[in-house]
Amino acid sequence: MEGKGKVNGVAAMAACYQGFDPAAYLQYNYTPPRADFERKDSIVPWKLACLHRAFTEGDVKGELLVDIGSGPTLYQVLSGCEVFNKVLLTDFLEVNRQELRGWLEDEGGCNLDWTPYLQHVCKLEGRRPSAWTEKAAKLRQVITDIVPVDVHRPQPLALDALPSEGADCLVSCFCLESVSPDLAAFTRALGHIGRLLRTGGHLLLIGALGESYYFGGPGVRIPVVPLNEAQVCASLKESGYTLIRLEVYTLPQDMRVGVDDVSGVFFVKAIKE
Ligand SMILES: C[S@@+](CC[C@H](N)C(=O)[O-])C[C@H]1O[C@@H](n2cnc3c(N)ncnc32)[C@H](O)[C@@H]1O
Ligand SMILES: O=S(=O)(c1ccc2c(c1)CN[C@@H](CF)C2)N1CCSCC1
């Protein structure tokens, strides 16, 4: 029964994603009030600062950075693109891979202007904000491919997607808990993506705390595994990671805008033993 339940739960999640709307998702989560660079308590500066620090404190290094479940967003690799000379973006849906290709091709075919994000990360790097065009060029230069992924498969990527030694670093944001039917599946998925990472490689994981649903488009209600910090830490340990740092952000009331019921966001830096 458990095995059958597992398949049905994962299949049901895949069915939920058929209505995912990248443009709506970007508008819900990556425009003000949630993405307000002027606000000191905004989640955007906090998240970008977590990623900047994690990528630049000296222990994260190598050739290949893989972003698991990129969706239609790029903020998660804006610091990493300065550290790795290969960045692989991945998503389950063609509509999201197409959104990312639209940005990559730089012909106006994308639904969000990432300039404020590029400028903010340049500021974190001590560069003038106008260096954002150089950062955009750098990112376009290091993105090697945009490929399908399924974290519920023991091999989430095609066998030829990675070199035999695996990735040097994984980043994954708001994916595992948003695509898993329950905590056990979340933990299994952590293990699956861990197989893509070389021993000693780093995992940078950002996710939702206390979230039970979100809207992936108008009327597209997607269930989420509600997590707390203890469950995140236990799942990491069970999946073969050693936690380096866990940071938590509590969403201000006015950022609870009805597109989900998230109460906080966690940032994890971990290493695969
Ligand atoms: C909430 S979005 C996160 C997008 C982005 N990383 C962000 O930070 O906003 C979850 C993403 O997981 C993708 N997804 C859905 N099912 C998946 C699966 N089985 N394996 C990997 N990714 C999946 C969706 O297509 C979607 O882009
Ligand atoms: O942390 S966010 O508020 C955010 C960003 C994305 C998501 C959520 C929250 C909660 N629901 C998730 C469903 F999977 C998606 N944020 C939005 C502004 S830019 C930085 C990220």
Side-chain angles (χ1 to χ4, degrees):
M1 185 55 198
E2 192 268 342
K4 193 168 174 341
K6 205 170 11 175
V7 168
N8 289 347
V10 162
M13 287 309 301
C16 287
Y17 273 93
Q18 296 320 302
F20 188 90
D21 175 345
Y25 176 78
L26 289 168
Q27 199 256 318
Y28 296 161
N29 292 292
Y30 295 94
T31 60
R34 286 189 160 185
D36 181 348
F37 291 86
E38 299 316 313
R39 272 181 65 156
K40 285 283 163 283
D41 64 344
S42 169
I43 180 111
V44 183
W46 179 82
K47 279 189 51 170
L48 296 176
C50 287
L51 289 162
H52 169 73
R53 179 183 169 204
F55 277 116
T56 59
E57 56 194 344
D59 53 347
V60 174
K61 51 177 76 74
E63 175 98 346
L64 175 61
L65 167 66
V66 179
D67 178 24
I68 300 293
S70 306
T73 69
L74 289 162
Y75 70 92
Q76 59 272 26
V77 291
L78 297 184
S79 292
C81 72
E82 306 291 349
V83 178
F84 292 90
N85 52 35
K86 289 180 183 169
V87 175
L88 183 65
L89 303 180
T90 75
D91 200 75
F92 184 71
L93 296 174
E94 173 56 20
V95 286
N96 285 327
R97 298 193 297 267
Q98 197 47 44
E99 174 71 20
L100 294 171
R101 285 188 208 104
W103 182 84
L104 200 55
E105 286 149 17
D106 194 14
E107 288 162 4
C110 64
N111 283 289
L112 189 83
D113 175 9
W114 290 100
T115 305
Y117 291 79
L118 288 152
Q119 288 172 332
H120 188 84
V121 178
C122 283
K123 203 163 73 176
L124 293 176
E125 293 168 350
R127 299 161 68 178
R128 64 197 192 292
S130 60
W132 73 268
T133 55
E134 295 155 31
K135 181 175 276 295
K138 175 74 172 172
L139 183 55
R140 289 188 169 104
Q141 178 212 345
V142 299
I143 293 173
T144 55
D145 208 345
I146 302 170
V147 298
V149 66
D150 182 348
V151 296
H152 299 308
R153 292 171 182 262
Q155 280 290 352
L157 297 174
L159 287 176
D160 62 356
L162 292 186
S164 56
E165 57 275 20
D168 298 294
C169 185
L170 298 182
V171 59
S172 185
C173 301
F174 299 108
C175 179
L176 303 188
E177 72 279 7
S178 310
V179 308
S180 298
D182 52 41
L183 181 61
F186 169 84
T187 306
R188 278 196 302 276
L190 253 184
H192 296 159
I193 68 171
R195 294 172 58 170
L196 303 172
L197 187 58
R198 68 167 170 79
T199 300
H202 287 86
L203 169 67
L204 307 181
L205 189 67
I206 291 179
L209 291 171
E211 183 173 50
S212 67
Y213 77 90
Y214 81 99
F215 282 97
V220 183
R221 191 180 189 278
I222 297 175
V224 179
V225 183
L227 297 172
N228 60 41
E229 291 169 57
Q231 289 166 323
V232 172
C233 294
S235 293
L236 285 163
K237 188 175 169 70
E238 191 177 330
S239 309
Y241 300 92
T242 297
L243 182 68
I244 294 171
R245 182 163 67 247
L246 167 69
E247 300 183 59
V248 172
Y249 173 95
T250 302
L251 232 63
Q253 205 53 43
D254 67 336
M255 280 198 199
R256 302 185 192 201
V257 293
V259 295
D260 52 42
D261 63 348
V262 65
S263 60
V265 174
F266 67 83
F267 172 82
V268 155
K269 181 172 189 176
I271 193 163
K272 178 184 170 183
E273 295 307 359

